[in-house]
Amino acid sequence: MANGNSAAITAKSFYEEGTTKAATGIRSWIFSTDHKRIGILYLISIAAFFFVGLIVGILMRLELIAPGQTIVDAQTYNQLFTLHGVIMIFLFIIPGIPAVFGNFFLPIQLGAQDVAFPRLNLLSWWVYIIGATLALISIVLPGGPMDTGWTFYIPYAVRTGTNVSLAIFAAFILGFSSMLTGLNFVTTVHRMRAPGMGWFKMPLFIWSTYATAWIQIIATPVVAITILLVIIERYFGVGIFDPALGGDPILYQHLFWIYSHPAVYIMILPAMGVVSEIIPTFSRRTIFGYKAVAMSSLAIAFVGYLVWAHHMFTSGMSETAQWIFSLLTYLVALPSGVKVFNWVATMYKGSIDPKPPFLWVMAFIFLFSIGGLTGLVLGSLATDIHLHDTYFVVAHFHYTMFGGTGTIFFAALFYWFPKMFGRMYNIKLASLSAGLFFIAFNTLYFPKFIMGYIGMPRRYFDYLPEFASLQVVSTIGSWLMLITVVLIFGNLIYSAFKGKRASMNPWGGVTLEWHISTPPPLHNFHEIPTVKHEPYDFSQLKELEHDS
Amino acid sequence: MSESKHHITGYGTYVLVWLGLLALTSLTVTVAGIDLGNFTLFVALTIAAIKSALVINIFMHIKFDEPIFKFFLLVSGATLFVIFALTFVDYSFR
C-alpha cells in the first residue's frame, strides 16, 4: 500500500486536535471524551497494572523455587497470590481488550465518529481509576492486603482480619466501569452503524465485542450485589453465607460464579474477535464461515452463562446439578470449535504473510487449544474430582486466559499499533518476542499440568520434594516471561516516540480503520462512509491503492 | 421527549396499586409463618414476582412504553429465571 492520500496527510490527527479546552497537557487527555484518547488512557493504565501483577507473579514463582520458606512467609504468599489474581483479573484482563481496542476501534470499524455516549465513556475510565485506587489503598492500610484468593470464598472472607471489605468494594466499583462500557457498546452498535453497514457486514471484532457487552451488562450486577452482601455480612453479622450465622456458603459460590464464569467469556470473546480480524488480513482471504463465526460469539455468550457451577463439583452441590452443569459445559466446546475450525479454514490456500500479529495469533491458537481441551478434562465429573484445586486448574486457566486473551492483547497491540500511534515498531524484534513468548509461556505453565496431575495443590506456599525439579523449570519460565514482556513493551514504547512513520494501511487490511489516515483524525471520517463491501472483501484493496 | 406519547395514570390507580402492594407484603409475612415445606420459597418468589410486575408496569410506566423496553426487560427477566432454575437444580436435589 502506498502512504496515505493527500487529504490524509494534511488532516490533523486526534493527537493534534482534542475535545477539551486544554489543547495539550494531561488535562487534554484525562478529560477528553474522544474514544481514541480514552482507549489510550485505558491502554496506559491497564499496562501499568499488568506490570504490577506480573511482578507479583514473578515474586510468587521465586518463592516456589525451593521447598520451604525462600523469600516470603506463608501469610505474605497468600496475599501475593490474591493480589496477583485480583490485579490480573479485575484490572487487566476483564477490561483489557474491550476497553482499549474496543474503545479505539469499535466506532471506527462501524463508520461512526464516536461511541454513542462519549461522556459516559470518559466516566467509565474514571470509575476504573477510582476502583483501582481503592484496591491499591486496601494494600497499604492497616490489616494488610487481602489473603482470600481472588474468589473471596466464604466463610474465610468473612472471618479474615485483612482488608477484604475495601478490596471487594473496589471490585464493586470496577464492575460499574465494565457495565458502562458494555452499555455504551451495545447502544453504539445498534444506533451508530454507517449507512450500508448491515448487521452481517460488521467486522467480526464488533460482533464479539457486542456479545461481550451483553454479558457485561447482564452478569456484572450479580457480582455487585453479592459483594454488597459480603460487606453487609462482615459489618453487621447478618447470616447470609457464613454457616456459623445460619448462612449457606454454597449460595455464595453460586452467586460468585454466576458472574465470574461469564466473566471468563468477557475476557476471551473480544480476543476471538481480534483473531477473526488478523487471520483474514494476513491470509488475504475473506473469513471462512462469516455468519457461523459471528453467531458462535453469541452462542458462547449465551451458553457460557449457563455453566457456572462447574467450578463447584467438589463443593457439596447436589449430584443432579453436577451432571447437568457438566453436560452444559461440554456444549461450550461446540461454538468454540466452530471458531477454531473456521480460522484454520480461512488460512487454507491463503497468501499468508507471517508478520508479528499473525505469529501472535498462531501462538494463540496453539495455547488456547491446549487450554480449551484441558477445560473438557476439568468439565468431566470423574477427572475433576481428581484434579480440582490442583496446579492442573492453574495451568488450564493460564493457558486460556494468558495464552488466550493475554496473547491476543499483544497480537492486537502489534496489529493496531501503527494505526494508533502513527509509527511502526521493529518488526524483527516483534517476531522474535512472539517466539520467545511461546517458549517462555510453555516453560512457565506446562510443568503445572504435570505437577497438578501428580497432586500438587494450588495456592500452597510449600511442597513435597518430588515437585522440586518441575517447580524450578516453571520459575525459570517466569524469568523468560519477564524478559519477553520487557522486550515487547521496550519495542513498542520506543517506537511510539521514535519509530518510522507508519503508512495508512501497513498490513493491507480492508476493514474501515484501514481506510482512514494514520493516526486517525479527531472525528475519524471526514464524511461518514457508505459501506458497499463485505467486511473482508479484499478486492477493495485495489480501490484503496487507487485512492492513495 | 415531546414527540413520544405520554400516558397519564390517575392517582386512583397509583393508590390502588400501592394498596395491592401492601396487601401482598402482608401476605408474604403471613405465609412466612406457615410451613409449606418445599413450596415455601416458590410461594414467596411468586408473590415477589407479582409485586415487581405491578411496580414495573404501573409505577415505572413500562406497560405504556415502547416495545423495545419491554423486550430488554424480558431478556433480563428470562436471564433471571434461568439463573433461578439452574440454582434450584442444586437446592431441590440435595
Side-chain angles (χ1 to χ4, degrees), chain A residues 23 69 91 111 136 161 168 239 257 271 277 286 295 308 329 338 354 372 402 431 478 481:
Chain A
Q69 183 168 334
L91 296 177
L136 294 181
I168 60 175
W257 289 114
E277 294 296 314
T286 187
M295 287 302 119
W308 73 83
T329 302
V338 166
F402 191 17
S431 304
S478 76
M481 184 56 79

Side-chain angles (χ1 to χ4, degrees), chain A residues 125-141:
Chain A
W125 180 75
W126 274 102
V127 170
Y128 171 84
I129 291 297
I130 293 168
T133 311
L134 285 179
L136 294 181
I137 290 174
S138 81
I139 298 174
V140 291
L141 281 186

Side-chain angles (χ1 to χ4, degrees), chain A residues 31-54:
Chain A
F31 298 121
S32 174
T33 52
D34 177 13
H35 67 100
K36 298 177 287 299
R37 289 199 180 209
I38 295 171
I40 290 179
L41 283 177
Y42 264 118
L43 175 62
I44 295 167
S45 10
I46 284 170
F49 288 116
F50 173 71
F51 263 98
V52 178
L54 181 78

Side-chain angles (χ1 to χ4, degrees), chain A residues 75 79 82 86 90 134-135 137-139 141-172 226-235 252:
Chain A
Q75 171 63 13
Q79 291 168 325
T82 306
V86 169
F90 293 104
L134 285 179
I137 290 174
S138 81
I139 298 174
L141 281 186
M146 178 169 64
D147 60 348
T148 60
W150 78 274
T151 47
F152 328 127
Y153 267 18
I154 305 280
Y156 187 66
V158 174
R159 295 179 192 171
T160 171
T162 52
N163 291 325
V164 171
S165 302
L166 187 59
I168 60 175
F169 187 64
F172 175 79
T226 312
I227 284 171
L228 286 185
L229 291 175
V230 174
I231 294 175
I232 290 171
E233 181 148 354
R234 273 181 73 87
Y235 280 116
Y252 171 80

Side-chain angles (χ1 to χ4, degrees), chain A residues 290-468:
Chain A
Y290 171 90
K291 279 192 182 168
V293 177
M295 287 302 119
S296 63
S297 291
L298 293 184
I300 290 177
F302 176 71
V303 184
Y305 214 104
L306 313 176
V307 300
W308 73 83
H310 66 209
H311 296 270
M312 302 161 53
F313 287 157
T314 62
S315 297
M317 198 171 59
S318 82
E319 279 179 20
T320 316
Q322 287 178 9
W323 73 258
I324 288 177
F325 279 103
S326 180
L327 178 76
L328 288 167
T329 302
Y330 272 75
L331 290 183
V332 187
L334 295 177
S336 308
V338 166
K339 280 192 188 291
V340 175
F341 289 126
N342 279 307
W343 292 329
V344 176
T346 304
M347 288 185 266
Y348 179 63
K349 288 191 175 173
S351 164
I352 288 176
D353 184 14
K355 289 273 165 40
F358 186 80
L359 296 178
W360 281 95
V361 166
M362 288 304 101
F364 161 85
I365 292 187
F366 191 90
L367 299 175
F368 186 73
S369 297
I370 295 181
L373 291 172
T374 49
L376 293 180
V377 175
L378 293 168
S380 161
L381 287 175
T383 39
D384 185 71
I385 303 296
H386 175 69
L387 296 168
H388 187 86
D389 259 348
T390 67
Y391 268 27
F392 193 92
V393 177
V394 179
H396 157 73
F397 187 71
H398 283 84
Y399 266 83
T400 51
M401 291 295 108
F402 191 17
T405 313
T407 308
I408 290 305
F409 187 82
F410 295 133
L413 209 47
F414 282 112
Y415 182 54
W416 280 314
F417 181 91
K419 184 55 75 181
M420 293 170 88
F421 294 95
R423 289 174 189 272
M424 184 51 92
Y425 49 80
N426 183 326
I427 300 259
K428 273 190 187 159
L429 193 58
S431 304
L432 178 78
S433 55
L436 201 58
F437 175 85
F438 188 76
I439 296 167
F441 188 95
N442 285 301
T443 318
L444 171 53
Y445 296 112
F446 201 82
K448 288 181 199 258
F449 276 127
I450 306 167
M451 282 191 272
Y453 189 74
I454 54 179
M456 174 74 211
R458 73 196 283 204
R459 293 176 171 171
Y460 273 37
F461 151 83
D462 199 1
Y463 50 85
L464 296 172
E466 59 255 42
F467 297 109

